[in-house]
Amino acid sequence: DGDSVWTVAATNVTNTAYSFTNLMPNTAYEFRVVSLCGTETAEAIVSATTVCAEISDYPFAENFDTWTTYLPECWTAATTVYYGGVSLSSTCLSSPNSVELTSGYSGYSYLAMPKFSLPVDTLILEMAVYKPDNYYAHQLVVGVMPNPADYSSFVQVAQINPANVGWSNVEI
């Protein structure tokens, strides 16, 4: 808008592409491009958000206790089921929150963590899994997703089938 203060990143760019440097991860930006062709000018404003930084501080821990409405930044969740999905839950091992994943017979719900800076085969995942009853299978499939926005990129690493009702500690 007319009140905005813009920072000039480059002038006299002759290529059709430009790479910005020193941008902060997981930050929304607005970019204004002005084209000068002879006496004609054209302007466009484009919004974009930079990708999340890789997790590089180890050990990494998230218990979801500080999140009250949704997931932490840079976590991805999706579902194909009408009832259920991914949500914060008050059924928790540590108060006040945990993450609940529910799905039906023909659907899935998934929760993807941010990318780690270390190779995935060098990491250990420790978590507590809650089995509410013995009426359903209550399987949890753990894997990796090179592209969290594309469920078809999921590669299974382990399947967890809790034996007992209640909380179980799991290490993968």
Side-chain angles (χ1 to χ4, degrees):
D1 67 44
D3 297 333
S4 296
V5 176
W6 295 92
T7 300
V8 176
T11 58
N12 299 321
V13 176
T14 57
N15 295 332
T16 58
Y18 181 80
S19 294
F20 292 89
T21 57
N22 300 319
L23 300 178
M24 299 298 298
N26 194 36
T27 303
Y29 288 93
E30 284 192 331
F31 301 94
R32 185 174 96 181
V33 179
V34 179
S35 171
L36 304 172
C37 187
T39 59
E40 301 289 321
T41 63
E43 180 176 318
I45 297 177
V46 178
S47 297
T49 300
T50 52
V51 297
C52 294
E54 293 180 349
I55 293 173
S56 58
D57 293 331
Y58 300 101
F60 171 77
E62 178 59 70
N63 63 12
F64 303 99
D65 285 345
T66 59
W67 301 95
T68 57
T69 57
Y70 202 60
L71 299 171
E73 291 181 358
C74 301
W75 287 66
T76 304
T79 188
T80 62
V81 297
Y82 176 74
Y83 179 76
V86 180
S87 60
L88 288 177
S89 172
S90 59
T91 301
C92 48
L93 190 60
S94 65
S95 191
N97 296 324
S98 66
V99 171
E100 180 176 0
L101 286 85
T102 55
S103 62
Y105 293 108
S106 62
Y108 63 84
S109 295
Y110 72 84
L111 175 66
M113 300 169 63
K115 186 175 181 181
F116 288 90
S117 63
L118 294 174
V120 71
D121 60 354
T122 65
L123 302 173
I124 296 172
L125 174 64
E126 294 177 339
M127 65 181 154
V129 177
Y130 183 75
K131 181 177 181 178
D133 56 50
N134 284 320
Y135 300 114
Y136 300 102
H138 300 293
Q139 297 174 342
L140 178 65
V141 179
V142 178
V144 295
M145 292 177 72
N147 179 1
D150 178 10
Y151 181 75
S152 67
S153 72
F154 181 85
V155 177
Q156 181 175 335
V157 174
Q159 181 171 315
I160 301 165
N161 299 303
N164 301 313
V165 172
W167 288 100
S168 301
N169 290 321
V170 176
E171 182 177 297
I172 301 171

